């Protein structure tokens, strides 16, 4: 089974992708994480695009994604988190992977802004926290798991957040219509556990 998670920034795609990847033994690929961890010649240009709230060129991200998708842990299926981000990417993906389900996690623009302004994460183990919503770290500013100091993403600043929300509406949202026959929509403005439950219920109610 291959699944795409779609949702505006901060909707909880990463959190739900982690849950689903465990549940169905699928490989979780976050294109944002792949890009943030890139090394070598491409790093400078990619960092600058990310920090300015711009999308990385389709050809570049597809190349990076293809390298990841052929690894052994992807044999059982993949959950894509952050890809495709536009129709062109959806068309390119079609040549590479057979998608069974597309899950849209819906939250409002106001909620997205609030979550991104409060988002902090652990640079060491990658756990995400939120100072306004959930989950909050037990000790303010420090990771519950490893105790490292939590940091904000460079692109989680007001200017970049506004640009990314605009890009989501203009470029990413049209892919929902592209995938209308495979689409499941869930309410992302409920607890993390309830979002997971809604996803599982809707997956089991709709034929593959
Ligand atoms: P994310 O972690 O999904 O919010 O992604 C962070 C940033 O990585 C985005 O704002 C883009 O600059 C870049 N990025 C992630 N996925 C893609 C994609 N599919 N296409 C182009 N750029 C992407």
């Amino acid at each position: 089974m291959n699944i795409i998670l779609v949702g505006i920034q901060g909707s909880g795609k990463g959190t739900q992708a982690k849950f689903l990847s465990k549940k169905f033994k699928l490989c979780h690929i976050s294109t944002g994480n792949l890009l943030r961890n890139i090394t070598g010649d491409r790093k400078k240009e990619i960092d600058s695009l990310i920090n300015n709230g711009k999308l990385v060129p389709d050809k570049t991200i597809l190349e990076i994604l293809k390298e990841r998708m052929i690894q052994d842990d992807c044999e059982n299926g993949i959950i894509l988190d952050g890809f495709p981000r536009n129709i062109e990417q959806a068309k390119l993906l079609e040549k590479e992977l057979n998608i069974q389900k597309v899950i849209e996690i819906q939250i409002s623009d106001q909620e997205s802004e609030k979550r991104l302004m409060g988002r902090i994460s652990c640079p060491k183990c990658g756990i995400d926290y939120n100072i306004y919503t959930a989950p909050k770290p037990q000790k303010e500013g420090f990771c519950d798991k490893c105790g490292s100091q939590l940091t904000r993403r460079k692109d989680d600043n007001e200017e970049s957040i506004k640009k990314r929300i605009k890009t989501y509406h203009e470029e990413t949202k049209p892919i929902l219509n592209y995938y209308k026959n495979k689409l499941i929509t869930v309410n992302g403005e409920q607890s993390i556990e309830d979002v997971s439950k809604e996803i599982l219920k809707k997956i089991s109610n709709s034929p593959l």
Side-chain angles (χ1 to χ4, degrees), residues 135-154:
K136 287 192 173 104
Q138 278 162 16
K139 185 177 169 208
E140 203 182 309
F142 295 92
C143 180
D144 291 353
K145 193 174 164 197
C146 71
S148 299
Q149 188 151 18
L150 301 172
T151 54
R152 286 193 71 186
R153 268 169 56 169
K154 273 196 188 147

Side-chain angles (χ1 to χ4, degrees), residues 46-195:
I46 288 176
D47 279 355
S48 157
L49 289 167
I50 293 180
N51 294 340
N52 286 298
K54 293 187 183 152
L55 290 183
V56 168
D58 297 337
K59 206 173 144 257
T60 311
I61 183 65
L62 189 76
E63 242 173 61
I64 295 167
L65 179 64
K66 275 165 74 176
E67 278 169 26
R68 178 67 187 90
M69 286 195 315
I70 55 168
Q71 290 174 21
D72 291 350
D73 61 332
C74 295
E75 263 174 15
N76 198 33
I78 295 173
I79 300 187
L80 284 174
D81 157 12
F83 190 97
R85 285 281 231 277
N86 57 34
I87 295 274
E88 187 51 33
Q89 292 183 6
K91 287 182 180 163
L92 290 169
L93 182 66
E94 208 162 299
K95 296 182 194 141
E96 309 294 332
L97 198 68
N98 190 10
I99 299 293
Q100 279 76 37
K101 288 273 168 262
V102 177
I103 303 169
E104 179 203 8
I105 308 180
Q106 254 184 3
I107 62 166
S108 68
D109 291 3
Q110 292 89 320
E111 181 68 15
S112 163
E113 264 182 68
K114 182 177 153 196
R115 289 187 187 181
L116 295 195
M117 290 305 287
R119 179 159 74 177
I120 38 176
S121 53
C122 176
K124 203 167 161 202
C125 50
I127 300 180
D128 285 324
Y129 299 89
N130 202 295
I131 54 171
Y132 299 133
T133 54
K136 287 192 173 104
Q138 278 162 16
K139 185 177 169 208
E140 203 182 309
F142 295 92
C143 180
D144 291 353
K145 193 174 164 197
C146 71
S148 299
Q149 188 151 18
L150 301 172
T151 54
R152 286 193 71 186
R153 268 169 56 169
K154 273 196 188 147
D155 58 342
D156 282 347
N157 62 71
E158 216 166 321
E159 196 191 332
S160 164
I161 289 171
K162 288 217 181 332
K163 258 194 232 166
R164 283 148 69 207
I165 290 179
K166 189 165 177 274
T167 304
Y168 178 78
H169 286 289
E170 290 175 357
E171 297 196 36
T172 309
K173 245 185 151 177
I175 70 170
L176 298 175
N177 191 44
Y178 184 86
Y179 288 121
K180 61 178 182 288
N181 298 330
K182 301 171 178 179
L183 186 67
I184 282 171
T185 298
V186 298
N187 172 14
E189 293 193 29
Q190 43 185 343
S191 72
I192 292 171
E193 293 74 25
D194 286 345
V195 177

